[in-house]
Amino acid sequence: MKAGTLIFLIIVILIAFGFVLSDSLQTKQDVQSLMNRINDLNTKLGQAQTQLITCQDQGEKDAQTIQALQKKAEDLQTEIKDLNGQLASLNNELAILKAQQSLFDLLSENPVLLTGALLTQVAASAMKFSKKLGIQWPGSGTNREKNDYVKLSLEERELLISTRRNRRNKK
């Protein structure tokens, strides 16, 4: 392996590792801010429920205040559920980023695996766009329409004709 290729692979690995670390740190900060927000909302919910109980004791003349506080408590509970959903998705994203980081660690330890992974992606992309580029891969089995003909060379036609005649003569 040439030294330039090795240096290039090391630089690619370091850049990828930097992106993974950056995303991981940002996700951790987002998780922490959401946890702080949930705690604040839980405190506000407790206060709202305490005020609701106090208003219920006052009776009928505070009915409008009770309804407003119930609505506020419901809104806060809905917001907590939304934030819990966001927290779950961020935790999933954090798990994915940790898995990617371990993969990058494995690839950085063995540059041969990195080369194989990159070549696999290139091959997959080539296979995916081969139809648009007009490339036919051997054994890929194309679906031809009924009126689609294949042009054969003179030698191919003669070989095909002689093969068919030989099959007829054998029967």
Side-chain angles (χ1 to χ4, degrees):
M1 180 179 279
K2 294 184 180 177
T5 305
L6 183 60
I7 291 172
F8 174 74
L9 288 174
I10 291 172
I11 290 173
V12 168
I13 290 170
L14 290 175
I15 290 172
F17 186 69
F19 281 121
V20 168
L21 281 179
S22 173
D23 287 344
S24 178
L25 291 175
Q26 182 63 37
T27 305
K28 286 179 183 178
Q29 289 174 351
D30 291 344
V31 167
Q32 185 61 37
S33 67
L34 284 175
M35 289 296 291
N36 292 338
R37 180 82 172 129
I38 287 172
N39 290 337
D40 291 341
L41 290 174
N42 280 331
T43 304
K44 288 179 183 179
L45 177 62
Q47 292 171 353
Q49 288 174 341
T50 304
Q51 289 177 353
L52 177 63
I53 291 170
T54 303
C55 288
Q56 286 174 343
D57 291 341
Q58 291 178 1
E60 286 292 323
K61 69 181 185 180
D62 290 335
Q64 292 177 347
T65 305
I66 292 170
Q67 290 176 353
L69 289 174
Q70 285 176 341
K71 174 82 168 115
K72 183 177 179 181
E74 289 173 0
D75 291 344
L76 290 173
Q77 287 176 343
T78 303
E79 191 172 350
I80 287 173
K81 287 179 184 176
D82 290 342
L83 289 175
N84 280 332
Q86 289 178 6
L87 180 63
S89 67
L90 285 174
N91 282 334
N92 288 338
E93 185 178 336
L94 184 61
I96 290 170
L97 289 173
K98 285 181 182 178
Q100 287 175 348
Q101 184 175 2
S102 66
L103 176 65
F104 283 128
D105 291 342
L106 175 67
L107 292 177
S108 65
E109 292 172 5
N110 191 350
V112 174
L113 288 177
L114 176 62
T115 306
L118 292 174
L119 289 176
T120 303
Q121 290 298 321
V122 169
S125 295
M127 291 293 284
K128 183 178 179 183
F129 295 108
S130 65
K131 186 173 183 181
K132 291 181 182 177
L133 296 174
I135 300 172
Q136 291 184 353
W137 297 97
S140 63
T142 59
N143 294 330
R144 292 193 173 106
E145 295 180 12
K146 292 179 180 175
N147 295 331
D148 195 13
Y149 292 99
V150 177
K151 292 185 178 181
L152 300 175
S153 67
L154 184 59
E155 294 89 20
E156 290 172 330
R157 279 187 269 157
E158 289 174 359
L159 179 64
L160 184 61
I161 291 169
S162 67
T163 305
R164 286 182 180 171
R165 285 182 183 162
N166 288 336
R167 270 193 236 153
R168 274 193 231 155
N169 293 336
K170 287 182 181 180
K171 290 182 182 179

